[in-house]
Amino acid sequence: MIEKSIFPPPSQADENGFVAFSRDITPEMLRDAYSHGIFPWPFGENYDATPWVAPLERGVIPLDEFHIPQSFQREMKKLNFTFRVNHDFPSVIKACAAAERPGQDGTWITGKIITAYCQFHRMGYAHSFEAYDKNGELAGGLYGISVGRIFCGESMFFKVSGASKFAFVKTVDLLRKHGVVLIDTQMVTPHTKAFGAREIPSAEYIALLQKYGGEPLNFS
């Protein structure tokens, strides 16, 4: 059974998915939020209040429905990256914050987010999955949160073409080996849809979280 939360339940989210606002973001708040289907989504550095959201429709990739686009299957055979886990979490989240997002004004990965998630990483909840080029330079990657057998993907980036997709595919292989059944993508984008993402109602996601959620897995 999921323990009582400091946040209102996702069922009380407004039409935009907002359930609460706070000035601070702490690892303890993150642990509580993710275990109840909630996550922070700041507007940017210029706002004091951080929204905590539970989207009415949740983007997910059930791992038994995950597939690699045919075009990338051909491309992946030519890629020469090395995959590593939790080698440099701070660099990954900072690179995600700096990545250009077409159609977006700034980033939600604020200084508060970086500080809190780096602490969350040291507690064993947040993980980075990284692709390195032949010179040992970080070429791309992603980070996310382990909630039992559900993995909450947060953000990804690339400096070299194909690096983030390479890291994502390798991450899915690793998640499967650890018994993970679902990736929470929060939203469905053209990128995640190509790998099998679809939307489910918030209540269905919470039911899956109650069934498969739990303590973080050790991927190192």
Side-chain angles (χ1 to χ4, degrees):
M1 179 178 293
I2 296 178
E3 62 190 42
K4 185 175 175 60
S5 176
I6 62 171
F7 295 98
S11 60
Q12 294 183 14
D14 68 13
E15 65 274 14
N16 296 308
F18 297 145
V19 296
F21 291 83
S22 71
R23 288 188 177 276
D24 299 321
I25 306 172
T26 67
E28 292 73 24
M29 294 169 73
L30 291 173
R31 178 183 179 278
D32 185 318
Y34 279 98
S35 66
H36 293 88
I38 300 165
F39 57 89
W41 199 352
F43 296 124
E45 297 284 5
N46 296 327
Y47 295 86
D48 289 334
T50 295
W52 295 81
V53 302
L56 304 185
E57 295 289 326
R58 197 79 170 217
V60 299
I61 303 179
L63 289 195
D64 60 359
E65 298 178 18
F66 174 83
H67 57 264
I68 304 172
Q70 193 171 37
S71 59
F72 186 64
Q73 290 182 31
R74 295 191 296 268
E75 182 183 350
M76 194 164 178
K77 295 177 182 178
K78 304 174 184 178
L79 298 177
N80 185 26
F81 297 119
T82 299
F83 180 65
R84 304 186 73 171
V85 180
N86 290 328
H87 180 67
D88 194 351
F89 184 91
S91 291
V92 170
I93 192 171
K94 289 174 184 176
C96 288
E100 293 186 7
R101 312 287 180 186
Q104 294 185 21
D105 183 17
T107 178
W108 65 271
I109 306 174
T110 63
K112 284 183 179 181
I113 286 285
I114 291 172
T115 297
Y117 279 74
C118 283
Q119 294 173 336
F120 211 35
H121 167 67
R122 291 192 289 271
M123 293 168 61
Y125 289 88
H127 303 274
S128 59
F129 304 88
E130 309 143 13
Y132 290 86
D133 65 19
K134 61 182 180 181
N135 297 316
E137 297 295 325
L138 183 61
L142 63 142
Y143 75 96
I145 310 303
S146 173
V147 186
R149 296 171 63 195
I150 291 178
F151 179 75
C152 304
E154 285 297 315
S155 187
M156 57 199 314
F157 79 98
F158 69 90
K159 297 179 180 179
V160 180
S161 179
S164 60
K165 293 179 182 177
F166 170 88
F168 184 48
V169 170
K170 292 295 186 181
T171 299
V172 170
D173 288 342
L174 184 62
L175 296 178
R176 282 174 165 160
K177 290 177 182 176
H178 283 78
V180 173
V181 298
L182 186 79
I183 296 176
D184 167 19
T185 66
Q186 300 174 354
M187 309 296 174
V188 174
T189 66
H191 174 77
T192 59
K193 188 175 182 179
F195 286 93
R198 58 182 172 86
E199 289 185 337
I200 62 174
S202 176
E204 184 176 339
Y205 175 75
I206 297 303
L208 290 168
L209 190 61
Q210 291 175 336
K211 182 176 181 179
Y212 295 112
E215 292 302 306
L217 300 177
N218 182 3
F219 299 116
S220 300

